[in-house]
Amino acid sequence: MALDEPKDDDEIVKNNGVTFLVNKELLDQVKPIVVDFIESGWGSGFSISSSLKKPESCGSGSCSC
């Protein structure tokens, strides 16, 4: 996840006043994508999950940042 400017090969998605940019080719491989803001005992941040298959050594298929 990063701050970026739109490019020709990006899909632009607006949800609850937030604009997301996702590379169209990547989006076809990983959709659906779920972005949540979470707060826990470990702190707060964004949780991003998708249908992208990761190697078993990478965990459950989601990341928090």
Side-chain angles (χ1 to χ4, degrees):
M1 188 160 103
L3 299 175
D4 201 0
E5 296 294 324
K7 298 177 185 66
D8 291 339
D9 60 348
D10 285 339
E11 182 76 27
I12 299 172
V13 179
K14 295 182 180 186
N15 188 1
N16 292 327
V18 178
T19 302
F20 298 93
L21 307 174
V22 182
N23 176 278
K24 290 178 184 177
E25 186 176 314
L26 178 63
L27 181 60
D28 287 339
Q29 297 174 34
V30 300
K31 65 183 171 184
I33 298 172
V34 177
V35 179
D36 286 318
F37 185 79
I38 58 172
E39 295 186 50
S40 71
W42 297 96
S44 58
F46 291 94
S47 171
I48 304 169
S49 60
S50 75
S51 62
L52 181 63
K53 302 293 184 216
K54 292 185 174 185
E56 288 183 30
S57 62
C58 290
S60 65
S62 65
C63 70
S64 296
C65 40

